[in-house]
Amino acid sequence: MYQYMTDVGAKSVQGSFMADWAGRVIRREEVVDSTNRVARQWAREGAPHGAVVVARQQLAGRGRRGNRWVSPKDAGLWLSIVLRPRVASAVFPLLPLAAGLAVADACQQVTGAVPAIKWPNDVVLLGHKLCGILVEGESGAAVLGIGINVRQRAEDFPEDLRGKAGSLFMLTGHDVPMRALEVALLAQVQRRVDDLDFLPEYVTRCVTIGAAVRVLEPQMEYTGVAEGVDDTGALLVKTADGTLRRVLAGDVSVRGLMGYV
Ligand code: BTN
């Protein structure tokens, strides 16, 4: 049983959860290149469903579409979870959305602030990206990598990320204890992966839906209005000529026409 009680600002936050599977086995590392790389290797060697790798620092944190993920020591929660869902193929496309919702709920639980989600899974607060999620397939398993910026100040981010990236401390003023956030996150991931009936809640959190967007696919680019998500988690975008396009996460970038979100 996980338990914690801690003060976040004026508020006392407490909680506990039975780790049915999420985080039943945890590897804690000081420094790694990437927790996703370590978790993928562990998955190849037979890591069980819910095995977690968490590191204080990553030297080569990986982001989506080949981007880097800057992960200084003790500045954020950098972890990866090995998932072996029973009905794997049906579940995999929904994992990024489930994880985005889990992160938003966990951040809300420990700070009281209400983050939004930019499709598929960027968690944003006050127009800044708080968290990134990278889901990778490995030997029949999925590795769910989650990076949440917790302690950075604005000037700690590299220049190209300033004004776009933010941390829980910057955006809420709370110095959130890392372990409380970890426990809240694992509990939320377990809940969302076990019950994939979350799309109505996801839609209420997702700021992309209803927005004018630009979709950048490897071979082409177009604009339209995001009308919703289908039951596989694909974004439905209506273009100016009335065509409804299904946008799959992966190599695609969706940008709001009104700024980052
Ligand atoms: C993104 O580009 O938004 C996704 C970033 C994912 C970062 C996390 S940090 C923990 C895990 N290990 C990695 O190397 N990447 C993910």
Side-chain angles (χ1 to χ4, degrees):
M1 159 106 79
Y2 269 109
Q3 267 188 318
Y4 66 91
M5 186 165 123
T6 186
D7 290 334
V8 179
K11 207 170 124 222
S12 177
V13 177
Q14 52 181 306
S16 66
F17 100 103
M18 288 299 288
D20 181 19
W21 53 262
R24 278 189 100 172
V25 196
I26 301 189
R27 262 167 77 170
R28 293 190 185 278
E29 305 284 351
E30 286 289 311
V31 190
V32 294
D33 50 359
S34 151
T35 57
N36 261 39
R37 207 240 354 117
V38 175
R40 286 181 67 170
Q41 186 177 327
W42 196 9
R44 282 197 295 279
E45 293 161 0
H49 181 49
V52 170
V53 178
V54 55
R56 293 178 68 186
Q57 183 180 7
Q58 295 187 115
L59 299 176
R62 303 207 304 244
R64 291 174 63 216
R65 298 188 307 280
N67 291 329
R68 75 196 193 292
W69 185 261
V70 184
S71 323
K73 186 171 180 182
D74 296 331
L77 185 59
W78 325 125
L79 62 75
S80 301
I81 311 173
V82 176
L83 298 175
R84 300 183 185 278
R86 261 170 256 138
V87 276
S89 54
V91 168
F92 279 6
L94 285 170
L95 285 179
L97 284 74
L101 193 53
V103 171
D105 285 341
C107 291
Q108 182 169 345
Q109 211 173 315
V110 296
T111 66
V114 184
I117 300 171
K118 176 178 173 283
W119 183 90
N121 58 17
D122 284 354
V123 177
V124 291
L125 191 58
L126 303 174
H128 289 70
K129 174 165 162 166
L130 268 181
C131 163
I133 293 168
L134 176 67
V135 185
E136 297 181 294
E138 179 61 64
S139 314
V143 169
L144 173 59
I146 299 177
I148 306 179
N149 297 319
V150 179
R151 301 228 160 93
Q152 295 97 327
R153 292 162 194 274
E155 60 274 21
D156 295 333
F157 286 102
E159 225 160 279
D160 57 320
L161 298 179
R162 279 188 211 153
K164 297 182 195 142
S167 71
L168 286 174
F169 177 72
M170 267 171 68
L171 301 169
T172 70
H174 294 317
D175 186 10
V176 175
M178 216 65 89
R179 202 51 80 87
L181 181 62
E182 180 188 306
V183 171
L185 177 64
L186 293 177
Q188 292 294 345
V189 167
Q190 182 172 292
R191 166 177 172 224
R192 296 304 185 182
V193 171
D194 277 349
D195 178 7
L196 290 167
D197 206 10
F198 60 77
L199 284 175
E201 265 180 85
Y202 176 89
V203 165
T204 64
R205 284 258 196 199
C206 181
V207 283
T208 311
I209 295 167
V213 294
R214 180 183 307 282
V215 180
L216 288 85
E217 295 189 353
Q219 306 303 334
M220 65 167 175
E221 191 178 316
Y222 54 91
T223 58
V225 174
E227 299 219 316
V229 288
D230 70 12
D231 55 9
T232 68
L235 187 68
L236 301 172
V237 176
K238 189 169 261 179
T239 59
D241 66 4
T243 312
L244 197 60
R245 291 181 174 273
R246 275 184 81 229
V247 183
L248 304 174
D251 286 344
V252 173
S253 168
V254 175
R255 301 205 181 134
L257 295 183
M258 309 297 287
Y260 162 68
V261 171

